[in-house]
Structure formats: structure tokens, C-alpha cells
Amino acid sequence: RRQLENYIRRRPDFLHSLSPLAADPLAPAIVQTMLAVAEQCGVGPMAAVAGAMAEYVGRELRTFTRNIIVENGGDIYLDSVEERRVAVFAGESPLSGKTALRIRPEAMPMGVCTSSATVGPSLSFGRADAVCVLSASAALADAAASRIGNQVRTESDIKAALRIGAGIPEIRGVVIIIGDKLGAWGEIEFCQ
């Protein structure tokens, strides 16, 4: 976290930009990751901050254990020898907490990141109750969830938003919830 905070002090536009910034080969690794996934998704680098922090902490913990769950405000890094289930919280949606994803050990490490226009402090230009994205990179999943979530203003936007997710390399699955409607694409396995 200190590396990221120091970088932001030197480059305040990193904190406020809503669009990708140029790569910086001299930046700390976490910053380079955030810059790269922001470019890949067409968002500002801070759209990846929670996922990137969870991922970098999780990678460090791997030397101590093979069962890792790092949750950071709805953004999760999983690396476990056991199957894990992740419930999707979607605020006031009737589907909130009733939708869960099964993540099998052979699929890990896995980032499971959620963006919402109706829950939490994150900035979203859409209206989705939850956009949940799966990727081996939690930083990428976080940035992609923001990008996809920005496109969902009504339930009629679900299909087009899923196509956006499908077009981002290394995204393995997307779930979108808005009101009582749900759309999914990719390697999504629902469970109880």
C-alpha cells in the first residue's frame, strides 16, 4: 500500500484519471499492473485498486499456505486447494445473496471482483446492482467489472455488456445483475 500511496503523491493524476494512463516502467509492480489492466479495459487505473491489492497480498501469502482468500471491499483473490463458493451481493435486488458462484480448485488462482452502482462507494456510470467478473488476475477482474458496469444502465444493456466482457482477453466469466434480471457469460458455475 505504501508503494501505491507514494506513487500517487508523485503522480496525482493516477488517483483521479477516469481513462488509461501511459505505462511507467519505473513504477512499482502493483502500479504497473494497474496501469496495464486499465489500458486493457479502457478505465482509469484506480478502477483496479481493490483487486490489485487483494491479488498482491494473496500472492505474498502463498509462501505460508495453499488456502488463501483475500477479500477487499467486494474484490476477492482466491487460491485454494478446496472448492470455494462466492455469494454475489447485489444490494436491493431480489437476487442479492441468492446467487453464488462455485470456484473449483483447478480454476485457481482466481480473482472474483464485483462492481456496483447501488452498493458501496465506488464510482460507476451505470446502474447495475452487481457486475461480477472472474479472471486469474484480480486486478484485471476489478478493472473489467468497472468497465462492464459502466455500460449497464437498464436490463436491456445486459447482452451488450456481456459482449464487452467476452471481448476482454483473460476474462473467464461475467455475471450481471440489475433489478430482478441476471445475465451470465463464460466459465460461470452457479451453486446454492
Side-chain angles (χ1 to χ4, degrees), residues 146-162:
S146 295
R147 168 69 173 95
I148 296 163
N150 286 340
Q151 302 307 305
V152 182
R153 293 180 183 86
T154 68
E155 59 190 50
S156 65
D157 295 323
I158 291 174
K159 285 185 182 178
L162 290 172

Side-chain angles (χ1 to χ4, degrees), residues 11-187:
R11 190 174 176 190
D13 59 331
F14 184 90
L15 179 63
H16 301 291
S17 180
L18 299 178
S19 56
L21 298 173
D24 183 351
L26 301 178
I30 191 169
V31 170
Q32 290 184 41
T33 295
M34 291 169 66
L35 288 167
V37 299
E39 177 68 32
Q40 195 171 349
C41 295
V43 295
M46 288 299 286
V49 67
M53 291 299 293
E55 181 176 342
Y56 274 74
V57 168
R59 285 186 195 168
E60 288 295 318
L61 291 174
R62 194 148 190 220
T63 60
F64 303 104
T65 181
R66 282 291 297 127
N67 287 300
I68 300 166
I69 301 171
V70 180
E71 191 276 337
N72 188 7
D75 299 308
I76 303 167
Y77 176 83
L78 297 170
D79 193 356
S80 178
V81 295
E82 299 176 29
E83 177 180 296
R84 299 296 175 179
R85 295 176 184 192
V86 178
V88 180
F89 182 69
E92 298 298 316
S93 166
L95 301 173
S96 185
K98 296 178 182 170
T99 306
L101 308 175
R102 177 178 285 122
I103 311 296
R104 297 189 185 270
E106 59 271 15
M108 296 187 221
M110 180 72 76
V112 182
C113 295
T114 305
S115 181
S116 175
T118 61
V119 178
S122 296
L123 175 65
S124 178
F125 297 111
R127 306 223 6 109
D129 292 301
V131 174
C132 186
V133 176
L134 277 61
S135 173
S137 165
L140 177 60
D142 193 9
S146 295
R147 168 69 173 95
I148 296 163
N150 286 340
Q151 302 307 305
V152 182
R153 293 180 183 86
T154 68
E155 59 190 50
S156 65
D157 295 323
I158 291 174
K159 285 185 182 178
L162 290 172
R163 282 193 297 273
I164 290 169
I168 299 172
E170 299 175 46
I171 296 302
R172 293 170 54 186
V174 178
V175 175
I176 299 171
I177 297 173
I178 183 167
D180 63 352
K181 302 296 184 221
L182 180 147
W185 166 86
E187 300 173 26

